[in-house]
Amino acid sequence: MMKNIKILALVLTVSLMTFNCSKDDDNNVKSNAPDFSGTYVQEDQMGRPAVNTVFVASADKDTYNITTPSSQNAAFQSKFEANLLALSPAYANGGTNALGQDAATFTGLLATDVLNVSLDGKTTFFDGENVLTGRALADDVITVELLLIFGGEDFSENPGLSNDNVDANDKTFLTSFPYLASPH
């Protein structure tokens, strides 16, 4: 009796496998590869954090975000400059930032939302010597932007507005790829 059950189980298993396997199945295999068909639309630009947030008016956000960087300066520099002059009295009075840039020059740089990358030097947002040559994970980008907006020629003006008081990441960055800090 036990031998008959084993044979019956074997016959059922083989028949199910035969029934479920056919050459037609090869045509129904789904690929796990990403699907790049369709239309893709640029939704947001953030090469320099806070620039888009601070300098682009709400009514202009969508337009700015879909404008190619090569056209952004011509379309938005004057608006950026008006916002900078309203935010920082030092610029309004003809002053410059620590990079020696007046309001028009600085906002011309900011209006084109690209992240520059140095191909032959240090990659940093600002380290006291190198400026906007890229962005390292540990760079205090927001404080640098606040200093350039509010800090004046030597970073001493408006000390209350020139620092976000976040001096480090809450977790140590890794020393190998993917370099990001481990999740909480």
Side-chain angles (χ1 to χ4, degrees):
M1 178 81 164
M2 185 62 105
K3 188 174 186 181
N4 290 340
I5 292 175
K6 287 182 181 178
I7 292 173
L8 181 60
L10 181 62
V11 169
L12 286 173
T13 303
V14 169
S15 67
L16 285 173
M17 287 173 44
T18 304
F19 178 75
N20 287 322
C21 294
S22 72
K23 288 186 176 186
D24 292 341
D25 287 347
D26 293 342
N27 296 331
N28 294 326
V29 174
K30 299 257 183 199
S31 171
N32 288 334
D35 178 7
F36 292 110
S37 64
T39 303
Y40 291 87
V41 178
Q42 182 171 316
E43 293 288 331
D44 200 3
Q45 294 192 55
M46 285 300 227
R48 295 188 186 112
V51 171
N52 185 330
T53 304
V54 172
F55 288 100
V56 181
S58 295
D60 291 333
K61 291 280 187 200
D62 289 339
T63 303
Y64 182 78
N65 284 325
I66 62 170
T67 302
T68 59
S70 60
S71 301
Q72 287 174 329
N73 191 310
F76 293 97
Q77 184 278 327
S78 63
K79 293 178 181 187
F80 274 44
E81 185 173 355
N83 288 339
L84 179 64
L85 293 174
L87 287 170
S88 181
Y91 285 106
N93 295 327
T96 63
N97 62 20
L99 303 176
Q101 298 170 326
D102 62 11
T105 306
F106 183 49
T107 56
L109 173 69
L110 295 180
T112 304
D113 191 20
V114 296
L115 184 58
N116 302 323
V117 177
S118 174
L119 299 177
D120 57 1
K122 182 175 181 180
T123 299
T124 184
F125 204 71
F126 178 77
D127 66 0
E129 186 177 321
N130 300 289
V131 181
L132 302 176
T133 59
R135 186 167 71 208
L137 287 173
D139 286 350
D140 196 347
V141 175
I142 301 300
T143 293
V144 170
E145 290 175 349
L146 290 171
L147 284 168
L148 292 172
I149 293 167
F150 298 111
E153 295 172 1
D154 61 1
F155 291 151
S156 66
E157 294 180 30
N158 303 304
L161 297 175
S162 297
N163 192 337
D164 66 358
N165 296 307
V166 178
D167 297 326
N169 199 44
D170 60 341
K171 296 192 100 183
T172 305
F173 293 112
L174 302 175
T175 57
S176 61
F177 186 81
Y179 301 107
L180 300 173
S182 61
H184 293 287

